[in-house]
Amino acid sequence: MDALMKLALTGLLSLLAVSAAPVASAQTYEEYEAEEQGEKPKTTRAVREIVKGTYAKTNVGASLYLGQYSQFIRPGTSIALAVGQDFMDTETMSMAWEASFFQGINNGTDYEEQAAAGCFTNGTCIQGDLRTYTLVGIYEVSFYPSRRVGIGLRAGGGMLFSPLLMNEKYYAQEVVGDTSSGAWQGQRPSVHDQPHPVVLGGPTLEYYTKLSHFSAGIDADIFYAVGFDLGLSATGTLKYTF
């Protein structure tokens, strides 16, 4: 029994000794060099445990139109793929450039219902179901109130395309060319025939996960396409930094 008590006491003392030992922490190069020279390092670098640099990002969310097409085009889906790079990074602020390709998918009102609402008199006729393709360059600046959370603003510009989805012959003859009450009285909108310069901007929120190469966030953009419409998109993001 005495032998067991001594063994238990020895184990307990060993455990206490290990628990009381100081916790090791990684040294920076500056700290190691100062220690080798018998000096006290002047500064200690903070570690953010996140990766910055070249990245790929995907966006998925919703979009809607706020201007002339808002009565005919319903809220829909916005998805995007992007590549970019953080070209400036400090503990409290970062800047990045980004090239993004957005696709918008929206359902809309039938052309006869648009005609009944007088779309051909006020220039708001547009094919019912809509697809938009937007290529933009974006500049972003973010600030970090905490180690893993970034709050920023982004702005950019590019081109928006909205190709005609209907059969061209049917569109020209039945939708535009027909002069009956259910058609557009020969008024063909140019919205599907040419690209539209677009500008966008809005806030962004980003959270850097403990998987250091991954972050998730939210982008909210107001966009305006010349000759098209004013719109809003809000998308969730997932980013991988290489």
Side-chain angles (χ1 to χ4, degrees), residues 11-33:
L12 180 59
L13 291 174
S14 300
L15 180 61
L16 290 174
V18 171
S19 301
V23 178
S25 59
Q27 286 181 309
T28 65
Y29 176 78
E30 290 80 6
E31 290 172 333
Y32 176 79
E33 188 178 45

Side-chain angles (χ1 to χ4, degrees), residues 189-232:
S190 62
V191 63
H192 303 299
D193 300 329
Q194 60 190 20
H196 304 274
V198 62
V199 293
L200 62 81
T204 179
L205 175 67
E206 189 169 11
Y207 173 74
Y208 291 88
T209 69
K210 291 188 177 181
L211 298 174
S212 59
H213 290 268
F214 288 92
S215 64
I218 298 173
D219 290 341
D221 296 311
I222 293 178
F223 60 89
Y224 176 70
V226 178
F228 195 76
D229 205 0
L230 176 71
L232 170 68

Side-chain angles (χ1 to χ4, degrees), residues 110-112 164-178 182 188:
D110 183 83
Y111 76 92
E112 293 180 335
L164 183 67
L165 301 182
M166 295 182 183
N167 177 273
E168 174 63 34
K169 183 177 180 180
Y170 176 85
Y171 179 70
Q173 295 180 356
E174 301 296 329
V175 178
V176 177
D178 191 351
R188 178 178 177 129

Side-chain angles (χ1 to χ4, degrees), residues 12 37 43 65 84 87 90 102 130 160 167 198 224 229:
L12 180 59
Q37 296 176 359
T43 60
Y65 292 94
F87 62 86
T90 69
F102 285 86
L130 194 67
L160 179 147
N167 177 273
V198 62
Y224 176 70
D229 205 0

Side-chain angles (χ1 to χ4, degrees), residues 37-105:
Q37 296 176 359
E39 300 175 359
K40 184 177 179 180
K42 295 180 180 180
T43 60
T44 301
R45 183 181 62 185
V47 179
R48 286 168 63 192
E49 299 176 352
I50 61 176
V51 175
K52 287 286 203 173
T54 302
Y55 61 82
K57 186 172 80 170
T58 182
N59 297 56
V60 178
S63 67
L64 70 158
Y65 292 94
L66 305 173
Q68 62 180 353
Y69 296 134
S70 60
Q71 60 180 322
F72 299 133
I73 301 299
R74 303 183 186 94
T77 302
S78 177
I79 59 176
L81 294 173
V83 293
Q85 184 178 52
D86 300 291
F87 62 86
M88 175 183 172
D89 179 37
T90 69
E91 292 297 322
T92 58
M93 185 182 75
S94 69
M95 296 182 184
W97 64 262
E98 185 177 298
S100 297
F101 178 72
F102 285 86
Q103 179 182 1
I105 305 172

